[in-house]
Amino acid sequence: MTKVHPPFDPEVAAALVAVNGALPSSITPDLIGLLREMTDAGYAMGLDEIRRHVHAEELTVPGRAGDPDVALLVLRPTDRDPAVALPGLYFIHGGGMVAGNHRTGIDGVLEWMAAIPMVAVSVEYRLAPEHPHPAPVEDCYAGLAWLGEHAAGLGIDPDRMVIAGGSAGAGLAAATALAARDRGGPRVRGQLLMCPMIDDRALTPSSTELVGEGVWDSVSNATGWSSLLGPAAGGPDVSAYAAPARATDLSGLPSAFIEAGSVETFRDESVDYASRIWQAGGQAELHVWPGGCHGFDGVVPAAPMSREARAARVNWLRRVLAE
């Protein structure tokens, strides 16, 4: 039976022809290598380019006990006054749990830094399927824990930190926020979750609406989750630190910014997550962009909707990080 979904925005639909010509909507396990190549080529800036905008330093910090060290990329404004502590942003890259590195998505972080003086730290976590759960989230939490202990030395105000990510990175950001709450870890003021990948169960209408269309359809989603969780994916024994939508208690979490496109796999789980944060007494700002595909602002960066989405993120960050 044909699946029904909202129409793509006309600019998004036109751009998807080229996007899907280079990378299919349906990422099967045999295409993970291609996804990694294209992610590194198209979404990961080189260090030399990054250093034309900010001061960039690569650090290696301890992972969880028994785990390998974790690589961090620390970005500071070049004109920063070392005597003034700045807000801190901890960034987790996307890539479906199977692709990317700590330079993936840094162009967006640089936009935030240009709008709001801050120190940003991007984490490089181990990727599935070679490193299944809990390796990715434990790497992310280890990096955040180290940041919490060394914030002052990095010129960060420890009382003004946010965690952010896109797609799988947003799912890991939500999971890291849950872990920080449950383990008494660093206090973060907010969690910026762009198109978050948070539910392995494929229970919502939007999780099955797209097959062979758009970006990161239901087939791709199954590939990502099975890579992370193996045969446990979709079953009863998956941890909320792997799939945050499974968390039964969303109280005591930092303020959230949650967004999705209306034509993407993660739409309904994003709406539900925001609703349950409200129901638990928390604060969330929710945006569902009409006609947007997954990661639409990267697909059509000059479109009015994309500009509005980027402005909404900056506005939220500015409010959350205000003294």
Side-chain angles (χ1 to χ4, degrees), residues 41-62:
Y43 296 99
M45 296 177 69
L47 273 177
D48 289 343
E49 185 178 0
I50 293 170
R51 285 172 174 149
R52 285 198 286 269
H53 303 276
V54 296
H55 179 274
E57 177 184 8
E58 293 184 292
L59 300 176
T60 301
V61 304

Side-chain angles (χ1 to χ4, degrees), residues 201-286:
R201 295 168 292 185
L203 297 175
T204 67
S206 69
S207 67
T208 58
E209 280 175 358
L210 295 175
V211 180
E213 293 182 89
V215 175
W216 201 256
D217 69 358
S218 57
V219 175
S220 299
N221 205 36
T223 296
W225 283 115
S226 62
S227 296
L228 183 72
L229 300 171
D237 300 320
V238 172
S239 166
Y241 301 139
R246 288 178 175 262
T248 57
D249 178 11
L250 296 183
S251 63
L253 291 172
S255 177
F257 177 101
I258 302 173
E259 69 171 352
S262 69
V263 203
E264 74 158 294
T265 300
F266 302 147
R267 180 195 68 218
D268 294 340
E269 59 202 62
S270 298
V271 172
D272 179 69
Y273 202 69
S275 295
R276 293 199 294 122
I277 289 175
W278 294 324
Q279 292 158 15
Q283 189 60 271
E285 178 175 325
L286 174 66

Side-chain angles (χ1 to χ4, degrees), residues 63-257:
R64 182 183 62 169
D67 284 350
D69 290 345
V70 175
L72 301 177
L73 178 63
V74 180
L75 308 178
R76 301 182 183 90
T78 55
D79 58 352
R80 171 180 164 268
D81 180 351
V84 178
L86 296 176
L89 182 134
Y90 186 69
F91 182 72
I92 305 177
H93 70 80
M97 302 291 181
V98 300
N101 58 53
H102 60 26
R103 292 176 286 106
T104 305
I106 285 297
D107 54 339
V109 175
L110 293 176
E111 284 189 18
W112 298 339
M113 293 178 68
I116 306 167
M118 65 173 71
V119 176
V121 177
S122 181
V123 60
E124 185 157 323
Y125 54 88
R126 287 170 290 171
L127 300 174
E130 295 88 343
H131 303 284
H133 177 76
V137 70
E138 290 297 346
D139 288 351
C140 293
Y141 182 77
L144 179 67
W146 182 90
L147 177 59
E149 294 174 0
H150 297 83
L154 296 173
I156 293 174
D157 180 349
D159 292 325
R160 289 194 293 159
M161 296 200 305
V162 298
I163 185 170
S167 191
L172 288 165
T176 302
L178 286 168
R181 178 197 66 181
D182 297 343
R183 301 176 186 179
R187 176 182 175 273
V188 293
R189 284 196 181 186
Q191 48 182 331
L192 195 162
L193 311 178
M194 302 174 290
C195 309
M197 180 179 177
I198 54 176
D199 200 339
D200 64 301
R201 295 168 292 185
L203 297 175
T204 67
S206 69
S207 67
T208 58
E209 280 175 358
L210 295 175
V211 180
E213 293 182 89
V215 175
W216 201 256
D217 69 358
S218 57
V219 175
S220 299
N221 205 36
T223 296
W225 283 115
S226 62
S227 296
L228 183 72
L229 300 171
D237 300 320
V238 172
S239 166
Y241 301 139
R246 288 178 175 262
T248 57
D249 178 11
L250 296 183
S251 63
L253 291 172
S255 177
F257 177 101

